[in-house]
Every structure is written in structure tokens, then in C-alpha cells.
Amino acid sequence: MDSRYIMDKSRVSGVDYSFRTGRSVRSPPDRHGTVLYTFVLDSAAEGKGENLAAKGIGLSADGRLLHVVEKMSRREQHDAGLVEGLRMATPPHCPGLNGQVPRGLMHLDIRNPGAQAELQGQGSTPTERQPHSSHIPVPRNRKPSGHADKEVMAATVLTSLSTSPMVLQPSSAPTVPEAANRGWKEVLSASYSSSTSGNWSWDASDQSVPSTPSPPLSNDSNKNFLLSSNNDDISDDIHESTHFMFEDPIPRKRKNSMKVMFKCLWKNCEKVLSTSSGIQRHIRTMHLGRNSDSDYSDGEEDFYYSEIEVNMDSLTEGLSSLTPTSPTTTAPPPVFPSLLVDVPHSEHIEVTGPHSHAPSLLSQSAPSTLCHIRTDHAYQGPVNHVRPVSTGEKRQPAISTHTAVTKSHAFVTPATKATPGTRKPRGEAKKCRKVYGMEKKDMWCTACRWKKACQRFTD
DNA sequence: TGTGCCGGGCT
DNA sequence: AGCCCGGCACA
């Protein structure tokens, strides 16, 4: 067997595996009936080759991962090395292997590296792992646990289903009940070693932008987590225990790393807050148009947010790997200042997806967009003297955003800059030079021609 | 590096 | 006053 599959970028215990493609080669069963999978990773992994090598995975000279672990017997390599290699190199989504996990060796749920990491103990990193010389002694065809366990799990799942607001969105991507359900099924049908699934897979690449009708929706909840909870007061033991009791039918998670967050389900609002009161206030004020000063709640906002679980380990790793200027993570802050003013900063987590700038139906965040629309084509006619407000201007600092209005302030108020002269702040509008270009200099206003302040496109 | 424009010189 | 340009600040 030699099946190709796509390996999504995944992250396992702090190691970023950027393998894009790979190949699994199935070896003949040994005398134990063990089926071995050797993963051959294509050169897409080159960038991480050294990293992997440092973690103890053998690489060939050209950066391919050809085999795992030296100085071990073939048997040990198979049992430990390959398992280790699979643990470390296998991304969460391996469609080609789903449902085809060979018995014996492959007890690990290869779709869930987090679960595998857990097998190594909490917080273990690949560098900390030592190859084990014996395979995990899980009998084949293991039956699910007894009736008592089933009942407990079923009860827990039912409880979860009945309490979670996500029931309202059957089409949602990994919702809590769904995850719980999956975990439950796995617990009942598979071995213990795969029981901690239902974790979040932090693969933002396969997240599609939702375009479903407004509220509620939560299709891309995952991708928000990575972007959201940097400055957050997350530690909340009440939520933690509640989450454990009602949301998590899975026997043991890494409790320390799982946090409950609250995600706004309003369309195009991907705000994630750490407290229910915060998200309720957000919904009340931003979407329901309620008075932000009043804490009165009629419960309606409960329908528009949901609890989500966040793996803080993955979260922090993801955050640490993001550059502060990453265009996917930082939206231009000054664009919608009105979005930010009502929410206390201690609780506010601005989650700005690719489409989140679109104003929600009831949100008050539209004015600047409308302004831009109005002046989008201001430059297309030479006689159009509507003051251009450029949409494509790179610079949009808070200072210069309102220079058109407050320009006189630059002369009245003390100079904010250290520059000695009283040089006018540069205007936002495109000037004749930019509008007409050097080749049409005769169309410039005289001031521009004389290198003076433009008179046609004044600020 | 391109752009806006201040300051100043020249006619 | 009109014209021109060196040079600075800024993005």
C-alpha cells in the first residue's frame, strides 16, 4: 500500500510540523500481526528537517524522513520508534488513514496528536519524550468499557446536549456537543488510548469563511481561538469545573490547558471573551442595542453566544509563533474604533477575521465604511472635487485619520512631534502628482507644479 | 524611495 | 506675483 495524502499543518506539543504532503508505506505484518506504517515525507518538510532531527527523528540527507530511531532493534523501532515517529509526524487530519488504523501497533489515534501527546504525560514535549521500548499493551478488539461507564458517559453527553446553546446550530463545525459526541463514541468503540479526542484541531487552513445568515452561527470557531485570547483573564476555576462536569464527557483532558471561552455567534462577529458576563454585555450592547450601562438581562443574549473550549497550550504556541504584524492576526486598529469603546479592555478580545470588518446588522460600526464607499471613485474625474478620502492609503494612524477635520489643531495645540518646525502634517488626500502622474503634469494645479501645497486636493 | 510641500531664490 | 527648485519630513 502506498497511499498519498495531504497532511495539514499541525502542531504537536510545541513542534510545528509543516509537512504538506507525505506518503505512508505499509509494511507486511510481522509475526505479531503488526502492520507498520513508515511515513515518507516529501521535501515540503525541509524547512523543519533540522527541527525534527533535533527531536530525534532520523532524516535522510535530503531532508526526508525515511525512518525513525536508530540503535534499536527492528522490533523496537517498530514498536517505539515508529509509534514515536507517528506521534510526532502525524497531523490531525490524515484522511488516507482514517478508519484504517491497523490493529496491534497503531493504537494511537493518529488523527489526534493532542491525545497522543497526552499519552506521554502532561506537558511533555517531543524533546522530552524518550522512545519506549515496548508497545502499548492494548489488546486487540478491545471491548468498550462496562455498562456503568456507558451510562455515565451517556448521561454526561445528554447533560451536555441539554445545556449547551450550540444545540441550536446543528450545522456548526466542531461544537461542544459534537466533540463530546465524538469523544463518547470513541470511548465506547475504541481503545482508551484514543479517548481524548474531541480536542480542537488548530488547523486554520481548512477553515472556510462562513457566509451563513445572521445569528447565530459559528462555523469557524476554531480559527478564532488562536487569535483571540492573548490578553485575557482566563483562569476561572468555576468555568473549568463546570466545563469538566457538563461539557466534557471525555475521561481526562489536560485540565490545565483547557479553558472555556465564550464566543459571540452573531454573524461576522467573532468576538471571544473569557467571561459569560462579558460576552453577554457585548451582545447586549453591540448586537441587541441595549444600554451598555445597564446590567439588566432578559436572557436573550444567551442565544447568541456559546461556550467553547480552548486548548491553551496550543493557543499559546500558536500565538508565540505569530508575528505581531501578521496580516491575518492584526486588523487595522483605527478602522472601527467604535467597536472597541464599549467593551472594557480587560475583557475585550478583538477577533478580527477576514470578513469581520463587515458591520453586523445592528452594530454601529459602519460609518467609516460608508464614508469610503462614498468617495471610492473620487479620483476618476479631474473635475471631481469631492474631497478624496483615500481607501487605499497605507497610512492610517490615529493622528492623521482626522487631520482633515482637525488640521488647525496642529497649529493650536502643542506640537506632538519633536520636529522643530511647524511643518504641516501631510495631508491624506492624493495630490495632483499622484492623481495625474508625472506624465500629465500640465493637469496639475499650479501649486503642485510649483511644489507648493496642493490647492486642488486640499486636506 | 516616492511623495508632499516648506523655504527661498530668481525673474 | 509668478515661477522654479533644493531639501526635509514622512510613510
mmCIF file with all atom_site columns, all heavy atoms in Angstrom, chain A residues 226-244:
data_model
loop_
_atom_site.group_PDB
_atom_site.id
_atom_site.type_symbol
_atom_site.label_atom_id
_atom_site.label_alt_id
_atom_site.label_comp_id
_atom_site.label_asym_id
_atom_site.label_entity_id
_atom_site.label_seq_id
_atom_site.pdbx_PDB_ins_code
_atom_site.Cartn_x
_atom_site.Cartn_y
_atom_site.Cartn_z
_atom_site.occupancy
_atom_site.B_iso_or_equiv
_atom_site.pdbx_formal_charge
_atom_site.auth_seq_id
_atom_site.auth_comp_id
_atom_site.auth_asym_id
_atom_site.auth_atom_id
_atom_site.pdbx_PDB_model_num
ATOM 1   N N   . LEU A 1 226 ? -7.042  30.936 18.175 1.00 0.00 ? 226 LEU A N   1
ATOM 2   C CA  . LEU A 1 226 ? -5.646  31.265 18.040 1.00 0.00 ? 226 LEU A CA  1
ATOM 3   C C   . LEU A 1 226 ? -5.440  32.750 18.080 1.00 0.00 ? 226 LEU A C   1
ATOM 4   O O   . LEU A 1 226 ? -4.399  33.228 18.472 1.00 0.00 ? 226 LEU A O   1
ATOM 5   C CB  . LEU A 1 226 ? -5.120  30.719 16.715 1.00 0.00 ? 226 LEU A CB  1
ATOM 6   C CG  . LEU A 1 226 ? -4.756  29.255 16.721 1.00 0.00 ? 226 LEU A CG  1
ATOM 7   C CD1 . LEU A 1 226 ? -4.365  28.827 15.329 1.00 0.00 ? 226 LEU A CD1 1
ATOM 8   C CD2 . LEU A 1 226 ? -3.615  29.014 17.675 1.00 0.00 ? 226 LEU A CD2 1
ATOM 9   N N   . LEU A 1 227 ? -6.423  33.454 17.666 1.00 0.00 ? 227 LEU A N   1
ATOM 10  C CA  . LEU A 1 227 ? -6.225  34.866 17.500 1.00 0.00 ? 227 LEU A CA  1
ATOM 11  C C   . LEU A 1 227 ? -6.727  35.665 18.674 1.00 0.00 ? 227 LEU A C   1
ATOM 12  O O   . LEU A 1 227 ? -6.616  36.863 18.682 1.00 0.00 ? 227 LEU A O   1
ATOM 13  C CB  . LEU A 1 227 ? -6.965  35.324 16.245 1.00 0.00 ? 227 LEU A CB  1
ATOM 14  C CG  . LEU A 1 227 ? -6.789  34.442 15.040 1.00 0.00 ? 227 LEU A CG  1
ATOM 15  C CD1 . LEU A 1 227 ? -7.637  34.953 13.898 1.00 0.00 ? 227 LEU A CD1 1
ATOM 16  C CD2 . LEU A 1 227 ? -5.333  34.387 14.628 1.00 0.00 ? 227 LEU A CD2 1
ATOM 17  N N   . SER A 1 228 ? -7.276  34.999 19.608 1.00 0.00 ? 228 SER A N   1
ATOM 18  C CA  . SER A 1 228 ? -8.116  35.802 20.479 1.00 0.00 ? 228 SER A CA  1
ATOM 19  C C   . SER A 1 228 ? -7.609  36.020 21.868 1.00 0.00 ? 228 SER A C   1
ATOM 20  O O   . SER A 1 228 ? -7.676  37.120 22.357 1.00 0.00 ? 228 SER A O   1
ATOM 21  C CB  . SER A 1 228 ? -9.476  35.149 20.550 1.00 0.00 ? 228 SER A CB  1
ATOM 22  O OG  . SER A 1 228 ? -9.330  33.855 21.041 1.00 0.00 ? 228 SER A OG  1
ATOM 23  N N   . SER A 1 229 ? -7.130  35.073 22.509 1.00 0.00 ? 229 SER A N   1
ATOM 24  C CA  . SER A 1 229 ? -7.066  35.207 23.953 1.00 0.00 ? 229 SER A CA  1
ATOM 25  C C   . SER A 1 229 ? -5.674  35.484 24.460 1.00 0.00 ? 229 SER A C   1
ATOM 26  O O   . SER A 1 229 ? -5.192  34.842 25.346 1.00 0.00 ? 229 SER A O   1
ATOM 27  C CB  . SER A 1 229 ? -7.595  33.948 24.589 1.00 0.00 ? 229 SER A CB  1
ATOM 28  O OG  . SER A 1 229 ? -6.810  32.882 24.160 1.00 0.00 ? 229 SER A OG  1
ATOM 29  N N   . ASN A 1 230 ? -5.106  36.445 23.899 1.00 0.00 ? 230 ASN A N   1
ATOM 30  C CA  . ASN A 1 230 ? -3.761  36.760 24.347 1.00 0.00 ? 230 ASN A CA  1
ATOM 31  C C   . ASN A 1 230 ? -3.791  37.482 25.677 1.00 0.00 ? 230 ASN A C   1
ATOM 32  O O   . ASN A 1 230 ? -3.155  37.102 26.644 1.00 0.00 ? 230 ASN A O   1
ATOM 33  C CB  . ASN A 1 230 ? -3.086  37.637 23.294 1.00 0.00 ? 230 ASN A CB  1
ATOM 34  C CG  . ASN A 1 230 ? -1.603  37.671 23.486 1.00 0.00 ? 230 ASN A CG  1
ATOM 35  O OD1 . ASN A 1 230 ? -1.073  36.907 24.288 1.00 0.00 ? 230 ASN A OD1 1
ATOM 36  N ND2 . ASN A 1 230 ? -0.941  38.536 22.770 1.00 0.00 ? 230 ASN A ND2 1
ATOM 37  N N   . ASN A 1 231 ? -4.554  38.514 25.740 1.00 0.00 ? 231 ASN A N   1
ATOM 38  C CA  . ASN A 1 231 ? -4.584  39.322 26.945 1.00 0.00 ? 231 ASN A CA  1
ATOM 39  C C   . ASN A 1 231 ? -5.882  39.028 27.661 1.00 0.00 ? 231 ASN A C   1
ATOM 40  O O   . ASN A 1 231 ? -6.815  39.786 27.635 1.00 0.00 ? 231 ASN A O   1
ATOM 41  C CB  . ASN A 1 231 ? -4.488  40.791 26.587 1.00 0.00 ? 231 ASN A CB  1
ATOM 42  C CG  . ASN A 1 231 ? -5.425  41.116 25.478 1.00 0.00 ? 231 ASN A CG  1
ATOM 43  O OD1 . ASN A 1 231 ? -6.143  40.229 25.008 1.00 0.00 ? 231 ASN A OD1 1
ATOM 44  N ND2 . ASN A 1 231 ? -5.456  42.346 25.074 1.00 0.00 ? 231 ASN A ND2 1
ATOM 45  N N   . ASP A 1 232 ? -5.868  37.983 28.344 1.00 0.00 ? 232 ASP A N   1
ATOM 46  C CA  . ASP A 1 232 ? -7.155  37.522 28.817 1.00 0.00 ? 232 ASP A CA  1
ATOM 47  C C   . ASP A 1 232 ? -7.042  37.081 30.257 1.00 0.00 ? 232 ASP A C   1
ATOM 48  O O   . ASP A 1 232 ? -6.025  36.570 30.698 1.00 0.00 ? 232 ASP A O   1
ATOM 49  C CB  . ASP A 1 232 ? -7.597  36.350 27.948 1.00 0.00 ? 232 ASP A CB  1
ATOM 50  C CG  . ASP A 1 232 ? -9.049  36.070 28.188 1.00 0.00 ? 232 ASP A CG  1
ATOM 51  O OD1 . ASP A 1 232 ? -9.769  37.008 28.506 1.00 0.00 ? 232 ASP A OD1 1
ATOM 52  O OD2 . ASP A 1 232 ? -9.421  34.920 28.089 1.00 0.00 ? 232 ASP A OD2 1
ATOM 53  N N   . ASP A 1 233 ? -8.141  37.276 30.963 1.00 0.00 ? 233 ASP A N   1
ATOM 54  C CA  . ASP A 1 233 ? -8.188  36.803 32.330 1.00 0.00 ? 233 ASP A CA  1
ATOM 55  C C   . ASP A 1 233 ? -8.908  35.468 32.325 1.00 0.00 ? 233 ASP A C   1
ATOM 56  O O   . ASP A 1 233 ? -10.064 35.357 32.672 1.00 0.00 ? 233 ASP A O   1
ATOM 57  C CB  . ASP A 1 233 ? -8.922  37.813 33.203 1.00 0.00 ? 233 ASP A CB  1
ATOM 58  C CG  . ASP A 1 233 ? -10.255 38.160 32.598 1.00 0.00 ? 233 ASP A CG  1
ATOM 59  O OD1 . ASP A 1 233 ? -10.458 37.901 31.410 1.00 0.00 ? 233 ASP A OD1 1
ATOM 60  O OD2 . ASP A 1 233 ? -11.086 38.660 33.337 1.00 0.00 ? 233 ASP A OD2 1
ATOM 61  N N   . ILE A 1 234 ? -8.202  34.496 31.934 1.00 0.00 ? 234 ILE A N   1
ATOM 62  C CA  . ILE A 1 234 ? -8.877  33.257 31.606 1.00 0.00 ? 234 ILE A CA  1
ATOM 63  C C   . ILE A 1 234 ? -9.067  32.362 32.802 1.00 0.00 ? 234 ILE A C   1
ATOM 64  O O   . ILE A 1 234 ? -10.032 31.616 32.880 1.00 0.00 ? 234 ILE A O   1
ATOM 65  C CB  . ILE A 1 234 ? -8.078  32.521 30.528 1.00 0.00 ? 234 ILE A CB  1
ATOM 66  C CG1 . ILE A 1 234 ? -8.018  33.410 29.308 1.00 0.00 ? 234 ILE A CG1 1
ATOM 67  C CG2 . ILE A 1 234 ? -8.722  31.239 30.159 1.00 0.00 ? 234 ILE A CG2 1
ATOM 68  C CD1 . ILE A 1 234 ? -7.077  32.912 28.290 1.00 0.00 ? 234 ILE A CD1 1
ATOM 69  N N   . SER A 1 235 ? -8.180  32.395 33.707 1.00 0.00 ? 235 SER A N   1
ATOM 70  C CA  . SER A 1 235 ? -8.252  31.387 34.752 1.00 0.00 ? 235 SER A CA  1
ATOM 71  C C   . SER A 1 235 ? -9.532  31.532 35.531 1.00 0.00 ? 235 SER A C   1
ATOM 72  O O   . SER A 1 235 ? -9.754  32.503 36.205 1.00 0.00 ? 235 SER A O   1
ATOM 73  C CB  . SER A 1 235 ? -7.059  31.565 35.675 1.00 0.00 ? 235 SER A CB  1
ATOM 74  O OG  . SER A 1 235 ? -7.190  32.776 36.352 1.00 0.00 ? 235 SER A OG  1
ATOM 75  N N   . ASP A 1 236 ? -10.349 30.561 35.385 1.00 0.00 ? 236 ASP A N   1
ATOM 76  C CA  . ASP A 1 236 ? -11.647 30.623 36.028 1.00 0.00 ? 236 ASP A CA  1
ATOM 77  C C   . ASP A 1 236 ? -12.002 29.214 36.442 1.00 0.00 ? 236 ASP A C   1
ATOM 78  O O   . ASP A 1 236 ? -12.455 28.408 35.649 1.00 0.00 ? 236 ASP A O   1
ATOM 79  C CB  . ASP A 1 236 ? -12.673 31.188 35.062 1.00 0.00 ? 236 ASP A CB  1
ATOM 80  C CG  . ASP A 1 236 ? -13.976 31.465 35.777 1.00 0.00 ? 236 ASP A CG  1
ATOM 81  O OD1 . ASP A 1 236 ? -14.211 30.872 36.831 1.00 0.00 ? 236 ASP A OD1 1
ATOM 82  O OD2 . ASP A 1 236 ? -14.733 32.273 35.265 1.00 0.00 ? 236 ASP A OD2 1
ATOM 83  N N   . ASP A 1 237 ? -11.791 28.958 37.672 1.00 0.00 ? 237 ASP A N   1
ATOM 84  C CA  . ASP A 1 237 ? -11.947 27.591 38.114 1.00 0.00 ? 237 ASP A CA  1
ATOM 85  C C   . ASP A 1 237 ? -13.391 27.143 38.059 1.00 0.00 ? 237 ASP A C   1
ATOM 86  O O   . ASP A 1 237 ? -13.691 25.977 37.885 1.00 0.00 ? 237 ASP A O   1
ATOM 87  C CB  . ASP A 1 237 ? -11.408 27.449 39.533 1.00 0.00 ? 237 ASP A CB  1
ATOM 88  C CG  . ASP A 1 237 ? -9.902  27.523 39.505 1.00 0.00 ? 237 ASP A CG  1
ATOM 89  O OD1 . ASP A 1 237 ? -9.318  27.218 38.449 1.00 0.00 ? 237 ASP A OD1 1
ATOM 90  O OD2 . ASP A 1 237 ? -9.326  27.890 40.521 1.00 0.00 ? 237 ASP A OD2 1
ATOM 91  N N   . ILE A 1 238 ? -14.278 28.089 38.242 1.00 0.00 ? 238 ILE A N   1
ATOM 92  C CA  . ILE A 1 238 ? -15.671 27.712 38.170 1.00 0.00 ? 238 ILE A CA  1
ATOM 93  C C   . ILE A 1 238 ? -16.003 27.209 36.787 1.00 0.00 ? 238 ILE A C   1
ATOM 94  O O   . ILE A 1 238 ? -16.607 26.158 36.603 1.00 0.00 ? 238 ILE A O   1
ATOM 95  C CB  . ILE A 1 238 ? -16.558 28.911 38.540 1.00 0.00 ? 238 ILE A CB  1
ATOM 96  C CG1 . ILE A 1 238 ? -16.305 29.278 39.998 1.00 0.00 ? 238 ILE A CG1 1
ATOM 97  C CG2 . ILE A 1 238 ? -18.009 28.582 38.316 1.00 0.00 ? 238 ILE A CG2 1
ATOM 98  C CD1 . ILE A 1 238 ? -17.031 30.507 40.433 1.00 0.00 ? 238 ILE A CD1 1
ATOM 99  N N   . HIS A 1 239 ? -15.567 27.951 35.826 1.00 0.00 ? 239 HIS A N   1
ATOM 100 C CA  . HIS A 1 239 ? -15.812 27.524 34.466 1.00 0.00 ? 239 HIS A CA  1
ATOM 101 C C   . HIS A 1 239 ? -15.112 26.217 34.182 1.00 0.00 ? 239 HIS A C   1
ATOM 102 O O   . HIS A 1 239 ? -15.620 25.359 33.495 1.00 0.00 ? 239 HIS A O   1
ATOM 103 C CB  . HIS A 1 239 ? -15.314 28.582 33.494 1.00 0.00 ? 239 HIS A CB  1
ATOM 104 C CG  . HIS A 1 239 ? -16.146 29.810 33.530 1.00 0.00 ? 239 HIS A CG  1
ATOM 105 N ND1 . HIS A 1 239 ? -15.667 31.023 33.193 1.00 0.00 ? 239 HIS A ND1 1
ATOM 106 C CD2 . HIS A 1 239 ? -17.433 29.986 33.905 1.00 0.00 ? 239 HIS A CD2 1
ATOM 107 C CE1 . HIS A 1 239 ? -16.619 31.925 33.310 1.00 0.00 ? 239 HIS A CE1 1
ATOM 108 N NE2 . HIS A 1 239 ? -17.695 31.320 33.753 1.00 0.00 ? 239 HIS A NE2 1
ATOM 109 N N   . GLU A 1 240 ? -13.968 26.128 34.745 1.00 0.00 ? 240 GLU A N   1
ATOM 110 C CA  . GLU A 1 240 ? -13.205 24.922 34.493 1.00 0.00 ? 240 GLU A CA  1
ATOM 111 C C   . GLU A 1 240 ? -13.960 23.706 35.003 1.00 0.00 ? 240 GLU A C   1
ATOM 112 O O   . GLU A 1 240 ? -14.141 22.723 34.297 1.00 0.00 ? 240 GLU A O   1
ATOM 113 C CB  . GLU A 1 240 ? -11.848 25.041 35.202 1.00 0.00 ? 240 GLU A CB  1
ATOM 114 C CG  . GLU A 1 240 ? -10.911 23.926 34.888 1.00 0.00 ? 240 GLU A CG  1
ATOM 115 C CD  . GLU A 1 240 ? -10.432 24.026 33.443 1.00 0.00 ? 240 GLU A CD  1
ATOM 116 O OE1 . GLU A 1 240 ? -10.208 25.145 32.979 1.00 0.00 ? 240 GLU A OE1 1
ATOM 117 O OE2 . GLU A 1 240 ? -10.303 22.984 32.824 1.00 0.00 ? 240 GLU A OE2 1
ATOM 118 N N   . SER A 1 241 ? -14.394 23.802 36.229 1.00 0.00 ? 241 SER A N   1
ATOM 119 C CA  . SER A 1 241 ? -15.067 22.640 36.781 1.00 0.00 ? 241 SER A CA  1
ATOM 120 C C   . SER A 1 241 ? -16.408 22.421 36.096 1.00 0.00 ? 241 SER A C   1
ATOM 121 O O   . SER A 1 241 ? -16.805 21.305 35.826 1.00 0.00 ? 241 SER A O   1
ATOM 122 C CB  . SER A 1 241 ? -15.269 22.834 38.278 1.00 0.00 ? 241 SER A CB  1
ATOM 123 O OG  . SER A 1 241 ? -15.987 24.019 38.516 1.00 0.00 ? 241 SER A OG  1
ATOM 124 N N   . THR A 1 242 ? -17.079 23.507 35.812 1.00 0.00 ? 242 THR A N   1
ATOM 125 C CA  . THR A 1 242 ? -18.345 23.359 35.113 1.00 0.00 ? 242 THR A CA  1
ATOM 126 C C   . THR A 1 242 ? -18.134 22.702 33.773 1.00 0.00 ? 242 THR A C   1
ATOM 127 O O   . THR A 1 242 ? -18.856 21.800 33.374 1.00 0.00 ? 242 THR A O   1
ATOM 128 C CB  . THR A 1 242 ? -18.974 24.745 34.894 1.00 0.00 ? 242 THR A CB  1
ATOM 129 O OG1 . THR A 1 242 ? -19.113 25.381 36.138 1.00 0.00 ? 242 THR A OG1 1
ATOM 130 C CG2 . THR A 1 242 ? -20.312 24.592 34.226 1.00 0.00 ? 242 THR A CG2 1
ATOM 131 N N   . HIS A 1 243 ? -17.127 23.177 33.132 1.00 0.00 ? 243 HIS A N   1
ATOM 132 C CA  . HIS A 1 243 ? -16.827 22.597 31.825 1.00 0.00 ? 243 HIS A CA  1
ATOM 133 C C   . HIS A 1 243 ? -16.548 21.124 31.980 1.00 0.00 ? 243 HIS A C   1
ATOM 134 O O   . HIS A 1 243 ? -16.988 20.303 31.189 1.00 0.00 ? 243 HIS A O   1
ATOM 135 C CB  . HIS A 1 243 ? -15.628 23.330 31.235 1.00 0.00 ? 243 HIS A CB  1
ATOM 136 C CG  . HIS A 1 243 ? -14.761 22.475 30.399 1.00 0.00 ? 243 HIS A CG  1
ATOM 137 N ND1 . HIS A 1 243 ? -13.572 21.985 30.849 1.00 0.00 ? 243 HIS A ND1 1
ATOM 138 C CD2 . HIS A 1 243 ? -14.930 22.012 29.156 1.00 0.00 ? 243 HIS A CD2 1
ATOM 139 C CE1 . HIS A 1 243 ? -13.032 21.266 29.901 1.00 0.00 ? 243 HIS A CE1 1
ATOM 140 N NE2 . HIS A 1 243 ? -13.819 21.251 28.861 1.00 0.00 ? 243 HIS A NE2 1
ATOM 141 N N   . PHE A 1 244 ? -15.818 20.796 33.013 1.00 0.00 ? 244 PHE A N   1
ATOM 142 C CA  . PHE A 1 244 ? -15.453 19.403 33.161 1.00 0.00 ? 244 PHE A CA  1
ATOM 143 C C   . PHE A 1 244 ? -16.670 18.565 33.472 1.00 0.00 ? 244 PHE A C   1
ATOM 144 O O   . PHE A 1 244 ? -16.812 17.448 32.996 1.00 0.00 ? 244 PHE A O   1
ATOM 145 C CB  . PHE A 1 244 ? -14.428 19.284 34.285 1.00 0.00 ? 244 PHE A CB  1
ATOM 146 C CG  . PHE A 1 244 ? -13.933 17.891 34.459 1.00 0.00 ? 244 PHE A CG  1
ATOM 147 C CD1 . PHE A 1 244 ? -13.021 17.370 33.562 1.00 0.00 ? 244 PHE A CD1 1
ATOM 148 C CD2 . PHE A 1 244 ? -14.399 17.114 35.491 1.00 0.00 ? 244 PHE A CD2 1
ATOM 149 C CE1 . PHE A 1 244 ? -12.569 16.075 33.720 1.00 0.00 ? 244 PHE A CE1 1
ATOM 150 C CE2 . PHE A 1 244 ? -13.946 15.827 35.636 1.00 0.00 ? 244 PHE A CE2 1
ATOM 151 C CZ  . PHE A 1 244 ? -13.034 15.300 34.756 1.00 0.00 ? 244 PHE A CZ  1
#
